[in-house]
């Protein structure tokens, strides 16, 4: 038996293609039938790597009795939240308002007009965890739909008002607050109040990487030499690198840790998490030059290339948390597996990884670094080099043994937004590690993205699989792509990417801009399948599209000398700064922008035959409030480069939002101006 999902691209939808539930994909067909038959619609949202999505499928959606009831009384839609983040955003807001919490699987009950009136997350097959069973919820919703239509109408009217208000609240709450470096210090103070100063991170378990907050603290230290900021940022990274959230054998990070010590991950590995962590690690390396950050950057890039490369030019989305129906089975070690892999127990290696016969999680072992090489050398009275060689040899054996286990499934769709973040990671790593291979990889990757996701009509699509790109791109797709284009131009010196970024910025301003003329909706005005357009300002697992666009408008405004873009960026920052002070963890990108504004953002133009040499010197330094451009000749397409070329001369121009300063001849002379 199969349903309509058998023809879909999404691995998550294909996982449900043989359920007895008569699933529809997201689209007009399901809602038209709901109208014709006067039935409520179930919109069930999840993603391929989601553990609890698999659980609910096994317990309820594969049950023929449950499925028969769903098919008789409801029209049922399955949505991959990664394919349709706009749908997920809309119904997540509604479910959080209804139930007080959110997560996946997300199950919303909606009218044929797509307005939600009830919803929740995981529902068990029988009453448990203080939750009704899925069957009880189905029966109650069916009764309300037919017996209390007035209540449905009242609920949906209120929900529309709530969702519209939610879409506007964060934009209108702050007006245009004043800000200065004291405001940034307040952001830091409030962020550090959340900090776990023993185990790193922010708040208690479950712990997410918090990369935007970490990068903000690193930049704050750079500008102010505030030691607590550096200490907390590096502590957070170090604890993650040592913990089970990091794959100690194969590289790459899991999505989050379920404990305070970063030992027990939710084992799914997402492309976006790894891209964002590479960026934060690159910032840490740029500031400290500590080799441990370089090592993890290289291992994480290698993981993405090995495990997520789609074979033709981009990266897949994720690896599942489960294998053989068991969460984490691929990554954990029974004592028998451990001994078999190593040919016996090596006490040194076991002490290094914290492995024991009884295990450290559900009678298995999650590998983490619990002892330093130096401590082990002193404990076992062995030379340090021997300790390091034994650990390296064991890693190779364990990694090879793990290949014989059943691997988690790959979510093999390629998303534009997440790939743009990975492009950003490659260029950042290429710059700080002075790795030309990463830069070349980023250039080829960008060329593939533009060949693959651009439509003949001149807009972008969101997802690609098996040679087919589809689904309209959202704000994150455009914002992250523009950001990646700008950084690629700055790091590689290839100026062709700046006009490309400008063209897409023009598109965003035309089709995504809010009526106020300042912020941006998540969906385009050309998209008609979402009843309420949403406006997000806060960072979630990925950066706020609005915050990224504010950065893009700043750097593009400087490059193109477009004062209206500069004014819009500045206004957006001022309107969010008060909220960012109160909630710096959720507004990390706005904190970064506000702080950069206090140091007067600048473009640095290296021009002449030595432009590449001068730019290479400047790239060795951490200068987050500057945008670097190099050219050997005059370029009339980019306004900031006009009238700066003089035959036979090599100059470095530093330009602020107001004017360009007198040129310099040597890069060392401009460092005091640009390092903040």
């Amino acid at each position: 038996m199969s349903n309509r999902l058998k023809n879909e691209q999404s691995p998550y939808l294909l996982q449900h293609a043989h359920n007895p539930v008569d699933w529809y994909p997201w689209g007009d067909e399901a809602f038209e039938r709901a109208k014709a038959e006067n039935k409520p619609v179930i919109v069930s949202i999840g993603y391929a790597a989601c553990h609890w999505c698999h659980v609910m499928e096994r317990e309820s959606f594969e049950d023929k009795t449950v499925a028969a009831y769903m098919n008789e009384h409801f029209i049922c839609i399955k949505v991959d939240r990664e394919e349709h983040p706009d749908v997920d955003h809309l119904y997540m807001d509604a479910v959080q308002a209804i139930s007080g919490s959110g997560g996946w699987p997300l199950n919303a009950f909606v009218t044929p007009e797509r307005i939600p009136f009830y919803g929740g997350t995981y529902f068990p097959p029988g009453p448990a965890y203080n939750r009704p069973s899925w069957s009880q919820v189905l029966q109650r919703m069916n009764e309300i739909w037919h017996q209390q239509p007035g209540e449905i109408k009242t609920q949906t009217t209120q929900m529309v008002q709530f969702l519209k208000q939610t879409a506007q609240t964060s934009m209108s709450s702050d007006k245009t607050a004043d800000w200065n470096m004291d405001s940034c210090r307040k952001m830091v103070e409030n962020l550090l109040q959340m900090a776990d100063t023993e185990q790193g991170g922010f708040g208690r378990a479950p712990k997410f990487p918090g990369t935007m907050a970490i990068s903000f603290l690193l930049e704050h230290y750079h500008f102010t030499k505030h030691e607590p900021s550096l200490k907390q940022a590096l502590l957070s990274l170090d604890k993650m690198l040592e913990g089970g959230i990091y794959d100690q054998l194969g590289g790459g990070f899991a999505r989050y840790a379920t404990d305070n010590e970063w030992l027990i991950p939710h084992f799914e590995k997402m492309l976006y998490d790894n891209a964002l962590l590479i960026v934060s690690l690159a910032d840490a390396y740029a500031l400290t030059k500590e080799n441990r950050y370089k090592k993890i950057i290289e291992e994480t890039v290698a993981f993405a290339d090995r495990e997520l490369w789609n074979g033709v030019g981009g990266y897949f989305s994720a690896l599942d948390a489960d294998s053989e129906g068991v969460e984490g089975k691929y990554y954990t070690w029974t004592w028998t597996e451990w001994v078999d892999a190593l040919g016996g127990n090596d006490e040194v290696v076991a002490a290094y990884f914290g492995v024991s016969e009884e295990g450290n999680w559900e009678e298995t072992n999650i590998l983490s670094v619990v002892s330093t090489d130096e401590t082990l050398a002193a404990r076992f009275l062995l030379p340090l080099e021997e300790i390091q060689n034994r650990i390296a040899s064991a890693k190779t054996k364990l990694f090879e043994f793990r290949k014989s286990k059943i691997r988690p499934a790959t979510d093999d769709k390629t998303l534009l937004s997440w790939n743009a973040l990975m492009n950003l990671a490659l260029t950042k790593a290429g710059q700080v590690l002075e790795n030309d291979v990463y830069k070349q990889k980023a250039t080829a990757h960008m060329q593939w993205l533009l060949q693959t996701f651009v439509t003949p009509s001149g807009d972008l699509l969101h997802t690609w699989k098996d040679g087919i790109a589809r689904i309209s791109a959202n704000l994150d797709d455009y914002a992250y792509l523009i950001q990646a284009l700008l950084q690629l131009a700055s790091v590689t010196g290839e100026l062709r990417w700046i006009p490309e970024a400008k063209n897409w910025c023009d598109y965003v301003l035309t089709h995504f801009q809010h009526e106020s003329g300042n912020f941006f909706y998540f969906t385009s005005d050309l998209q008609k399948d979402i009843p309420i357009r949403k406006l997000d300002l806060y960072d979630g697992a990925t950066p706020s599209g609005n915050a990224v666009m504010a950065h893009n408008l700043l750097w593009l405004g400087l490059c193109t000398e477009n004062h209206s873009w500069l004014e819009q960026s500045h206004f957006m920052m001022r309107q969010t700064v008060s909220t960012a002070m109160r909630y710096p963890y959720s507004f990390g990108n706005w904190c970064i922008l506000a702080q950069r504004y206090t140091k007067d953002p600048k473009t640095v133009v290296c021009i002449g035959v030595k432009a590449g040499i001068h730019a290479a010197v400047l790239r060795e330094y951490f200068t987050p409030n500057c945008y670097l451009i190099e050219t050997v000749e005059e370029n009339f397409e980019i306004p900031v480069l006009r009238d700066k070329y003089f035959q036979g001369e090599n100059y470095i121009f530093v330009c602020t939002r107001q004017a360009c300063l007198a040129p310099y001849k040597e890069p060392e002379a401009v460092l005091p101006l640009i390092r903040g």
Side-chain angles (χ1 to χ4, degrees):
M1 175 185 289
S2 60
N3 54 51
R4 293 170 182 81
L5 302 185
K6 66 182 179 181
N7 299 318
E8 291 298 304
Q9 287 187 340
S10 160
Y12 176 64
L13 268 55
L14 290 172
Q15 287 169 0
H16 293 77
H18 298 285
N19 294 165
V21 177
D22 186 17
W23 293 115
Y24 283 80
W26 178 263
D28 294 339
E29 183 182 0
F31 291 103
E32 303 258 345
R33 181 181 164 194
K35 288 178 185 176
E37 298 181 13
N38 187 31
K39 288 182 178 179
V41 179
I42 297 172
V43 179
S44 183
I45 305 172
Y47 57 105
C50 171
H51 171 71
W52 285 101
C53 299
H54 301 326
V55 172
M56 190 165 178
E57 179 190 15
R58 289 195 300 269
E59 293 175 344
S60 297
F61 302 147
E62 291 180 351
D63 185 297
K64 292 182 179 179
T65 302
V66 173
Y69 191 89
M70 292 172 65
N71 295 339
E72 180 179 357
H73 299 288
F74 300 90
I75 304 301
C76 305
I77 296 177
K78 254 296 167 196
V79 175
D80 182 336
R81 77 176 182 98
E82 296 162 1
E83 277 196 335
H84 291 282
D86 46 356
V87 178
D88 181 54
H89 286 186
L90 175 68
Y91 294 129
M92 182 65 74
D93 282 350
V95 168
Q96 286 176 327
I98 291 166
S99 67
S101 63
W104 300 275
L106 186 75
N107 293 288
F109 292 84
V110 311
T111 68
E113 292 72 36
R114 312 186 191 210
I115 306 300
F117 60 89
Y118 185 72
T121 55
Y122 165 76
F123 290 101
Y129 319 115
N130 294 319
R131 296 172 184 240
S133 72
W134 179 238
S135 292
Q136 288 174 323
V137 172
L138 292 173
Q139 291 166 10
R140 180 60 181 149
M141 291 303 103
N142 182 48
E143 290 172 4
I144 291 175
W145 182 262
H146 291 290
Q147 298 175 16
Q148 299 173 265
E151 183 175 331
I152 296 287
K153 183 173 179 57
T154 299
Q155 177 72 4
T156 54
T157 300
Q158 292 174 348
M159 183 58 68
V160 168
Q161 293 173 345
F162 168 78
L163 292 172
K164 287 182 176 178
Q165 183 179 4
T166 300
Q168 310 298 330
T169 298
S170 54
M171 183 193 70
S172 60
S173 58
D174 279 333
K175 301 305 178 188
T176 52
D178 291 329
W179 101 106
N180 50 35
M181 202 60 196
D182 287 337
S183 307
C184 298
R185 281 189 281 269
K186 184 65 175 176
M187 294 171 184
V188 171
E189 179 184 323
N190 288 340
L191 183 58
L192 292 181
Q193 286 179 356
M194 298 176 58
D196 182 340
T197 56
E198 293 184 3
Q199 297 299 329
F202 305 90
R204 309 297 291 174
K207 280 186 172 177
F208 291 82
T211 50
M212 283 73 87
I214 289 171
S215 289
F216 168 60
L217 290 178
L218 291 172
E219 290 196 15
H220 188 73
Y221 170 77
H222 166 72
F223 290 129
T224 67
K225 298 299 179 265
H226 182 248
E227 288 291 339
S229 293
L230 179 67
K231 182 178 179 181
Q232 185 61 31
L234 298 185
L235 175 69
S236 301
L237 290 173
D238 290 343
K239 290 296 184 180
M240 283 188 272
L241 306 190
E242 295 166 358
I245 191 175
Y246 183 68
D247 182 352
Q248 301 296 333
L249 301 180
F253 293 84
R255 193 160 72 93
Y256 64 89
T258 63
D259 65 328
N260 285 322
E261 290 73 34
W262 303 100
L263 172 66
I264 306 167
H266 193 19
F267 289 91
E268 63 204 31
K269 287 178 168 181
M270 318 300 289
L271 177 63
Y272 65 80
D273 282 318
N274 286 279
L276 292 169
L277 277 156
I278 290 170
V279 171
S280 290
L281 288 163
D283 287 342
Y285 180 77
L287 281 171
T288 68
K289 301 302 180 185
E290 293 283 350
N291 279 329
R292 65 183 181 276
Y293 302 127
K294 177 181 179 182
K295 172 177 174 287
I296 301 299
I297 290 170
E298 291 172 342
E299 289 181 357
T300 305
V301 173
F303 152 73
D305 286 345
R306 183 183 65 249
E307 302 281 346
L308 295 176
W309 183 248
N310 69 11
V312 294
Y315 292 90
F316 293 139
S317 296
L319 295 182
D320 206 330
D322 299 5
S323 55
E324 301 180 72
V326 178
E327 184 180 13
K329 186 171 183 179
Y330 184 73
Y331 301 102
T332 56
W333 295 85
T334 65
W335 184 251
T336 300
E337 288 174 331
W338 176 261
V339 172
D340 287 348
L342 296 179
N345 179 40
D346 186 321
E347 291 185 352
V348 170
V349 179
Y352 178 79
F353 283 122
V355 173
S356 64
E357 192 166 355
E358 61 272 15
N360 57 20
W361 181 67
E362 297 185 359
E363 301 179 347
T364 67
N365 290 280
I366 299 171
L367 302 189
S368 65
V369 178
V370 300
S371 185
T372 66
D373 299 350
E374 292 77 11
T375 300
L376 292 172
R379 174 181 168 184
F380 290 97
L381 302 178
L382 292 170
L384 181 61
E385 185 177 358
E386 181 176 342
I387 295 289
Q388 292 170 337
N389 288 340
R390 284 170 70 167
I391 292 169
S393 175
K395 281 186 174 182
T396 300
K397 291 177 181 178
L398 292 165
F399 184 68
E400 289 302 314
F401 182 91
R402 195 173 76 177
K403 289 180 180 178
S404 67
K405 301 170 75 171
I406 295 177
R407 183 179 176 276
T410 302
D411 185 335
D412 60 352
K413 64 181 180 293
T414 297
L415 299 177
L416 176 55
S417 54
W418 296 5
N419 271 261
L421 291 176
M422 189 63 196
N423 193 275
L424 200 71
L426 288 170
T427 52
K428 190 78 175 251
Q431 177 183 348
V432 302
L433 302 186
E434 300 180 40
N435 187 319
D436 288 339
V437 172
Y438 289 171
K439 298 176 190 176
Q440 292 161 8
K441 188 187 297 288
T443 298
H445 181 231
M446 180 60 72
Q447 290 170 335
W448 184 81
L449 293 180
L450 294 174
Q451 290 166 2
T452 302
F453 288 95
V454 179
T455 71
S457 59
D459 48 16
L460 295 173
L461 295 171
H462 172 63
T463 182
W464 176 93
K465 184 182 174 185
D466 297 334
I468 300 173
R470 49 194 285 274
I471 303 177
S472 297
N474 56 63
L475 178 63
D476 288 355
D477 292 306
Y478 285 91
Y480 301 170
L481 180 67
I482 295 166
Q483 182 185 34
L485 285 163
L486 288 171
Q487 182 168 274
L488 189 60
S490 182
V491 170
T492 65
E494 294 188 43
L495 298 183
R496 59 182 166 135
W497 303 120
I498 294 177
E500 185 79 33
K502 177 188 176 298
N503 290 340
W504 293 119
C505 190
D506 283 330
Y507 186 96
V508 172
L509 288 161
T510 300
H511 294 291
F512 287 82
Q513 190 150 296
H514 185 267
E515 292 80 4
S516 67
N518 297 311
F519 292 95
F520 301 97
Y521 285 115
F522 188 74
T523 52
S524 162
D525 60 359
L526 302 177
Q527 187 176 338
K528 305 301 182 185
D529 62 341
I530 298 295
I532 299 166
R533 295 175 75 191
K534 185 170 171 54
L535 189 152
D536 280 330
L537 297 187
Y538 57 86
D539 297 322
T542 54
S544 157
N546 270 284
V548 173
M549 277 305 302
H551 281 85
N552 293 340
L553 287 166
L554 168 62
W555 299 129
L556 274 171
L558 287 169
C559 289
T560 63
E561 298 181 349
N562 186 322
H563 293 290
S564 67
W565 289 7
L566 291 172
E567 289 171 4
Q568 182 170 347
S569 170
H570 194 243
F571 182 88
M572 292 169 74
M573 182 276 296
R574 286 162 52 211
Q575 200 168 20
T576 55
V577 71
S578 294
T579 303
M581 278 193 285
R582 293 195 298 273
Y583 309 108
Y585 182 80
S586 298
F587 285 75
N589 261 302
W590 294 108
C591 294
I592 290 170
L593 183 64
Q595 186 165 251
R596 289 177 179 178
Y597 266 112
T598 66
K599 296 299 178 179
D600 196 10
K602 304 170 180 69
T603 51
V604 180
V605 176
C606 300
I607 195 164
V609 293
K610 291 185 178 180
I613 297 172
H614 290 168
V617 172
L618 296 175
R619 288 192 191 101
E620 294 177 7
Y621 296 90
F622 189 58
T623 56
N625 63 317
C626 293
Y627 186 79
L628 178 64
I629 309 176
E630 62 174 274
T631 181
V632 297
E633 59 188 6
E634 189 154 19
N635 183 302
F636 293 97
E637 193 174 6
I638 302 171
V640 76
L641 299 180
R642 294 173 187 165
D643 302 321
K644 291 182 174 62
Y645 177 74
F646 298 90
Q647 184 73 34
E649 299 290 342
N650 293 281
Y651 286 123
I652 304 169
F653 291 84
V654 178
C655 302
T656 69
R657 286 176 290 155
Q658 291 78 35
C660 288
L661 308 180
Y664 292 81
K665 298 285 286 185
E666 299 296 334
E668 291 78 10
V670 305
L671 285 174
L673 293 173
I674 68 174
R675 295 202 68 197

